[in-house]
């Protein structure tokens, strides 16, 4: 089986070139290459087959490429963007699609965000209830308090309710 070297050039700011690595993964194995100072790279001893080329960088984001090396046509290399099947010329000319952003900028403080906070809403509702309670009729307020006390004295469902029901049935007999 004959092997072939595959390579190309990466076009980026030369100050950030040291953070670039090119990797190729396929059925015939995985290969890696360091990018030279001029932006060129070469991956040697690649057997014919299909490979996914990916560029890793701390500063840029690159699209993955699918590279097919023909075993029948004297090592003919065909490359295309892996996600869109758009053909790419050989030798490979790779450009970043965007800058890598690792952090999300924090939103600035807004007074309106305070009123969306559940704790502030609960505090506001409590204050509103206190204000409204001043304007409630004292007789109606006393009636509500009496009803709450009566509800607290009554047993709620479960075993207590069964005992009350059983006692009422025994009184009837």
């Amino acid at each position: 089986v004959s092997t072939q070297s595959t390579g190309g050039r990466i076009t980026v700011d030369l100050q950030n070139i040291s953070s670039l690595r090119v990797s190729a993964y396929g059925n015939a194995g995985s290969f890696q290459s360091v990018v030279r100072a001029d932006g060129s790279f070469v991956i040697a001893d690649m057997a014919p087959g299909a490979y996914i080329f990916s560029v890793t960088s701390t500063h840029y984001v690159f699209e993955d490429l699918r590279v097919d090396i023909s075993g029948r046509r004297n090592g003919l290399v065909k490359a295309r963007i892996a996600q869109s099947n758009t053909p790419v010329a050989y030798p490979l000319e790779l450009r970043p699609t965007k800058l890598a952003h690792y952090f999300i900028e924090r939103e600035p403080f807004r007074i309106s965000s305070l009123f969306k906070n559940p704790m502030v809403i609960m505090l506001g509702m409590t204050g509103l209830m206190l204000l409204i309670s001043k304007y409630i009729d004292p007789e109606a307020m006393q009636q509500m308090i009496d009803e709450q006390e009566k509800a607290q004295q009554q047993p709620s469902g479960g075993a207590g309710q069964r005992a009350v029901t059983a006692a009422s049935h025994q009184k009837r007999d």
Side-chain angles (χ1 to χ4, degrees):
V1 177
S2 66
T3 60
Q4 175 170 334
S5 294
T6 305
R9 178 175 304 280
I10 298 178
T11 308
V12 294
D13 182 13
L14 294 179
Q15 293 175 345
N16 299 323
I17 205 103
S18 63
S19 71
L20 298 173
R21 303 280 183 273
V22 179
S23 303
Y25 304 98
N27 290 339
S30 62
F31 305 89
Q32 292 192 353
S33 173
V34 177
V35 179
R36 296 181 187 137
D38 64 350
S40 65
F41 65 93
V42 174
I43 299 178
D45 300 328
M46 294 182 72
Y51 297 90
I52 297 294
F53 272 59
S54 63
V55 179
T56 55
S57 169
T58 56
H59 300 287
Y60 303 103
V61 176
F62 290 85
E63 288 185 307
D64 289 344
L65 298 177
R66 179 183 168 133
V67 177
D68 296 312
I69 301 173
S70 174
R72 297 182 185 163
R73 296 187 188 160
N74 203 18
L76 177 68
V77 176
K78 288 187 178 181
R80 59 184 182 259
I81 296 173
Q83 285 79 17
S84 64
N85 273 347
T86 305
V88 177
Y90 184 80
L92 303 173
E93 281 286 330
L94 306 176
R95 289 182 179 79
T97 55
K98 60 182 177 179
L99 288 174
H101 295 286
Y102 296 104
F103 301 103
I104 299 173
E105 189 174 322
R106 186 176 179 175
E107 287 187 25
F109 175 75
R110 282 187 241 123
I111 255 318
S112 63
S113 65
L114 266 178
F115 298 112
K116 296 176 185 176
N117 186 329
M119 293 302 288
V120 173
I121 293 171
M122 286 178 24
L123 179 70
M125 292 302 291
T126 305
L128 187 64
M129 289 174 72
L130 285 173
L131 285 174
I132 291 175
S133 69
K134 291 181 183 177
Y135 299 107
I136 292 180
D137 182 28
E139 290 177 14
M141 180 70 113
Q142 187 61 43
Q143 184 182 1
M144 284 179 16
I145 291 171
D146 291 342
E147 287 177 9
Q148 284 181 352
E149 287 175 359
K150 190 187 248 185
Q152 287 177 356
Q153 291 173 357
Q154 290 180 355
S156 62
Q161 184 67 32
R162 279 186 248 124
V164 170
T165 307
S168 66
H169 284 296
Q170 287 177 355
K171 287 181 184 178
R172 289 185 197 162
D173 294 337

